[in-house]
Amino acid sequence: VIVFLGIYIGAEPDMYHRGLMHLFPKRSRERAGEVLSAMATVLRRWLVTQLIAMVTIGSVTTIVLLILRVKAAFALGILAGLLEFIPTIGPLLSAVPAVAMGFLDSPEKALYVGDAFWAIQFAEHHLLIPLLMKGGVDVPPVLTILSQALMALLFGFLGLMCAVPLLAAILVAVKMLYVEAVVGDQVAVVDEASAQDAAASP
C-alpha cells in the first residue's frame, strides 16, 4: 500500500497539492503552501540521507566481514544496509546475526565482529551522519527516541519505521506555524538552497 501510494503521489504531485490547498481558507493558503513545500523538502532530504547511509553502511559492513572471513558476508552486509533505515534499533538488530555467524567459527571472531560493528556505528554517528545532515534534516536525538517509542507502542513495527520522517515533518510545522508566527523567533527550517526549491514548488 505504501509503495503504491508513493508511486501515485509521485506521478501527479500537483493534483494532490491542489487538493490539499482546498482544505485551507483562502487567506491561509499561501502560508499553508509554504509549510507543505518546506515539509516536502525536508522529507526529500531525509530520504536521500537515509539512502546514502544505507548504501554506505551496507558496503562498509560487507567489506569488513569479508576481511574477517565471516560466512555469508554479502547477505549480512545487505541486511545491515536495509536495517539502517530503522534508526537506533536497526544497527543493533543487524549486529546480532553477524556476531552469531562469527561465533560459529570462534568466540574470538564473534568479539572481532562485535567490535567492528561498534566501530562502524561510531564512525557513522560522528562522521557520516553529521556530514549528510549538514544543511539538511537535524532531528534531536531525544525527540527521535521518544517518537520511536510512542509510534512503536501505537502502531508496532510500521510506526517505528515512520516515526523519524513524521517527526521531521511535525518539527517543520511547529517551527513555521508556532515558533515563527506566534512566538516571533526566526528559526532555520531548511537552508537557503532548500528554501529556493520550496518556493519554486507548486
Side-chain angles (χ1 to χ4, degrees):
V1 172
I2 293 175
V3 170
F4 280 105
L5 282 176
I7 293 173
Y8 286 127
I9 293 174
E12 294 183 294
D14 293 350
M15 180 178 68
Y16 298 101
H17 189 276
R18 288 193 301 268
L20 283 174
M21 288 300 97
H22 289 308
L23 300 178
F24 298 95
K26 289 185 178 181
R27 63 180 182 277
S28 304
R29 286 181 185 176
E30 182 179 355
R31 186 56 173 171
E34 293 174 356
V35 174
L36 290 175
S37 296
M39 283 182 177
T41 300
V42 168
L43 290 176
R44 184 166 55 248
R45 282 181 169 250
W46 172 83
L47 181 59
V48 171
T49 298
Q50 285 298 113
L51 292 176
I52 294 175
M54 289 169 67
V55 172
T56 303
I57 296 301
S59 302
V60 171
T61 301
T62 301
I63 294 172
V64 170
L65 293 179
L66 286 173
I67 293 174
L68 294 175
R69 299 182 181 277
V70 177
K71 298 173 182 176
F74 286 101
L76 292 171
I78 293 174
L79 181 64
L82 293 175
L83 289 177
E84 183 65 23
F85 190 80
I86 308 174
T88 309
I89 299 176
L92 297 176
L93 296 177
S94 66
V96 173
V99 172
M101 193 64 71
F103 194 80
L104 292 178
D105 291 334
S106 68
E108 290 79 9
K109 181 174 285 190
L111 180 61
Y112 293 149
V113 172
D115 290 341
F117 268 79
W118 178 86
I120 291 172
Q121 292 305 312
F122 182 86
E124 177 195 0
H125 291 296
H126 291 83
L127 296 175
L128 178 63
I129 296 301
L131 287 174
L132 293 177
M133 291 295 187
K134 187 177 181 181
V137 184
D138 190 10
V139 180
V142 173
L143 292 182
T144 299
I145 295 173
L146 290 176
S147 66
Q148 287 176 328
L150 179 61
M151 291 294 288
L153 181 64
L154 295 176
F155 304 107
F157 184 74
L158 184 60
L160 178 63
M161 294 186 66
C162 297
V164 176
L166 181 61
L167 175 63
I170 291 174
L171 286 178
V172 170
V174 170
K175 289 178 181 179
M176 297 183 70
L177 298 178
Y178 179 73
V179 178
E180 289 184 350
V182 178
V183 178
D185 292 339
Q186 293 298 318
V187 292
V189 178
V190 291
D191 62 13
E192 184 177 352
S194 297
Q196 293 174 355
D197 293 341
S201 300

